[in-house]
């Protein structure tokens, strides 16, 4: 089902939580609302779910205006961070609850509960109480309860926040596989950028009650439209300088970076420039690059599958790089000097 949010506004006293949000989520799509605390993502999710009411704007699902429809009548499933399971009910009874509220016949309830338990890989857990389950199992039960009535849209509000990292990564993949298998239109709220990159068909980046950018994970990472998105999504090197017509960016102190010419920026204008940490490379003796510097390692952080280095390329100018380990080689020590460089095309000029 297509979900359309049009011109939605919501204020709490003098604080505007949402400032005219427009969003369309297509059938079978998994869209993530990503942003810092206070950006408006959870408020938007609550309005879609019907747990709060917009001050202006409309929300429609499959062409039906649901702006003022009660939560129970919206055909929307919801999974919360704290699971929200009834502690005195068994797993099967928890999952059956939304079916009972919809007056589904008992025989059909039993069948559908068992079907969805198999779907979340808990076929023999129906008679257990929530307290007898691990965090990951409780999350599966919460997910089963949200999908057992075949909702038109599934909403997930930071559902993995209480799980440890390894289990969280496992659940991310399980939810993604299940969502694709069922073709569920899904909206996922998180402040975790890695989680958003792993899960999403598209990511909606929010800040200060507005949508800043919507795009695929790849496009957002490679081509953020402003400093906020570049800084929030992924690790970034951000520089500020005066733009020259040939693509040069004068940072001051005689240091100039060379980017591809961009006619959108007049000569002399101040621009922000993005360089992702994986783009710079070590230069062999005699090797050239559009941007080449003699650098000194200030700090090294070992990450297992890579090492992160902070390099000083000039007084007051540092670059963070992330390099995979070389076979049989130890990480480079602080104080080491090396030649480093990157292409003009590795630099992205941002809108300030």
């Amino acid at each position: 089902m297509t979900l359309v949010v049009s011109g939605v506004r919501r204020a709490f006293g003098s604080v505007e939580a949402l400032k005219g949000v427009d969003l369309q989520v297509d059938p079978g799509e998994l869209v993530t609302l990503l942003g810092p605390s206070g950006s408006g993502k959870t408020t938007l999710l609550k309005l879609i779910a019907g747990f709060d009411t917009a001050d202006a704007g409309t929300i429609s699902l499959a062409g039906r205006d649901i702006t003022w429809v009660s939560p129970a009548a919206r055909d929307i499933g919801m999974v919360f961070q704290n699971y929200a399971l009834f502690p005195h009910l068994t797993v099967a009874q928890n999952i059956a609850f939304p079916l009972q509220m919809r007056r589904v016949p008992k025989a059909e309830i039993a069948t559908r509960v068992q079907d969805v338990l198999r779907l979340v890989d808990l076929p023999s857990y129906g008679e257990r109480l929530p307290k007898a389950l691990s965090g990951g199992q409780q999350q599966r039960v919460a997910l089963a309860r949200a999908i057992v009535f075949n909702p038109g849209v599934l909403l997930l509000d930071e559902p993995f926040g209480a799980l440890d990292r390894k289990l969280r990564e496992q659940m991310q993949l399980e939810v993604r596989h299940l969502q694709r298998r069922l073709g569920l239109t899904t909206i996922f709220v998180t402040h975790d950028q890695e989680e958003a990159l792993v899960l999403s068909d598209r990511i909606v980046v929010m800040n200060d009650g507005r949508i800043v950018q919507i795009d695929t994970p790849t496009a957002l990472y490679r081509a953020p439209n402003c400093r906020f998105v570049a800084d929030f999504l992924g690790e970034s090197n951000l520089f500020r300088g005066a733009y020259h017509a040939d693509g040069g960016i004068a940072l001051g102190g005689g240091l100039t970076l060379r980017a591809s010419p961009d006619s959108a920026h007049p000569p002399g204008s101040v621009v922000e420039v993005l360089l992702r940490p994986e783009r710079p490379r070590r230069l062999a003796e005699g090797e050239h690059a559009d941007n080449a510097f003699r650098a000194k390692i200030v700090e090294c952080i070992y990450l297992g599958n890579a090492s992160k280095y902070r390099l000083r390329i000039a007084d007051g100018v540092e670059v963070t790089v992330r390099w995979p380990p070389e076979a049989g080689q130890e990480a480079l020590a602080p104080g080491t000097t090396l030649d480093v460089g990157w292409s003009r095309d590795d630099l992205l000029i941002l809108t300030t």
Side-chain angles (χ1 to χ4, degrees), residues 68 190 242 311:
W68 303 101
T190 185
L311 309 179

Side-chain angles (χ1 to χ4, degrees), residues 73-147:
R74 289 194 178 203
D75 193 27
I76 289 176
M78 183 104 184
V79 179
F80 303 90
Q81 180 176 347
N82 64 357
Y83 316 135
L85 300 176
F86 300 115
H88 61 288
L89 299 182
T90 66
V91 165
Q93 289 168 338
N94 266 281
I95 296 172
F97 182 77
L99 298 176
Q100 292 168 345
M101 294 298 98
R102 289 164 174 80
R103 302 184 182 280
V104 175
K106 287 186 178 181
E108 184 179 346
I109 289 176
T111 299
R112 289 171 68 171
V113 167
Q114 199 55 46
D115 286 346
V116 80
L117 279 171
R118 282 193 291 268
L119 197 62
V120 298
D121 200 26
L122 294 173
S124 61
Y125 285 68
E127 299 308 311
R128 300 193 188 188
L129 290 173
K131 66 181 181 182
L133 306 179
S134 68
Q137 289 167 342
Q138 289 185 48
Q139 191 58 273
R140 287 191 183 94
V141 174
L143 181 60
R145 185 179 59 185
I147 65 175

Side-chain angles (χ1 to χ4, degrees), residues 242-250 256-269 271 344 349:
Y243 178 75
H244 295 171
D246 63 355
I249 314 293
T256 298
L257 301 180
R258 291 171 176 81
S260 296
D262 186 344
S263 60
H265 303 281
S269 61
V271 296
R344 287 176 177 267
I349 301 175

Side-chain angles (χ1 to χ4, degrees), residues 12-25:
F12 299 95
S14 61
V15 178
E16 287 188 281
L18 294 174
K19 302 174 182 178
V21 170
D22 297 303
L23 174 65
Q24 177 172 316
V25 182

Side-chain angles (χ1 to χ4, degrees), residues 221-237:
Y221 186 80
R222 291 180 178 174
N225 66 0
C226 64
R227 180 188 177 95
F228 174 80
V229 177
D231 196 30
F232 191 78
L233 190 70
E235 198 166 10
S236 308
N237 293 289

